[in-house]
Amino acid sequence: MNVRDAVEADAERLAALTGAPADVMRNLVHDRTVRVAEADGTVTGFVSYDAVDSTVHVTQLEGDAELCERLLAEPRRFADREGMEVELLAMETDDAAKTAAERAAFRRCGSGPRFDGDRTVRYRWEPTA
């Protein structure tokens, strides 16, 4: 598996993974840092994130638990270099993201906001001093 920066040509595949329109995914690639995982030339998952103030916010995470755990290393690496924390909101029903967060040393910090009435769980990762 290879992890690389997303390019605009990945938008269709990201849309297929998320069910979001390709235009939305194209904008994501332009507006956020997006890293994709690919195997045999096919994108199998991705993570997008953005840094605001002293926190890196993971805005999307797609893939199975093992892949998501590997992808979470990307925003953690960036945050560690910059002395920032990482925050992830996982849908309460997204077992892959929750499992990956816990395996990747994120700590559960309680409930997050609701999206379309669905509950989220807030996770936080802090760099080692």
Side-chain angles (χ1 to χ4, degrees):
M1 177 180 37
N2 179 45
V3 177
R4 62 170 174 78
D5 288 329
V7 295
E8 189 171 313
D10 294 319
E12 293 291 334
R13 179 64 182 144
L14 300 182
L17 289 171
T18 62
D23 286 347
V24 170
M25 293 295 102
R26 205 168 285 107
N27 288 338
L28 183 76
V29 169
H30 289 288
D31 297 340
R32 303 271 189 265
T33 300
V34 182
R35 302 279 291 160
V36 298
E38 63 181 1
D40 300 322
T42 300
V43 172
T44 56
F46 73 96
V47 63
S48 63
Y49 56 96
D50 194 17
V52 178
D53 298 323
S54 62
T55 304
V56 175
H57 297 274
V58 174
T59 56
Q60 281 193 266
L61 182 63
E62 292 291 332
D64 63 26
E66 185 177 324
L67 181 57
C68 287
E69 180 182 2
R70 178 154 181 207
L71 288 167
L72 284 173
E74 299 296 318
R76 283 180 47 201
R77 198 172 2 264
F78 174 83
D80 195 43
R81 279 193 316 265
E82 300 298 323
M84 302 172 84
E85 298 179 344
V86 181
E87 184 173 278
L88 164 68
L89 294 175
M91 300 307 293
E92 195 168 80
T93 57
D94 189 348
D95 292 333
K98 293 187 313 185
T99 298
E102 291 164 11
R103 288 181 186 166
F106 282 70
R107 65 179 168 78
R108 189 176 179 146
C109 299
S111 298
R114 288 180 180 254
F115 290 108
D116 294 327
D118 295 328
R119 296 174 191 239
T120 63
V121 179
R122 186 181 308 271
Y123 288 92
R124 202 151 191 73
W125 178 87
E126 297 172 0
T128 53

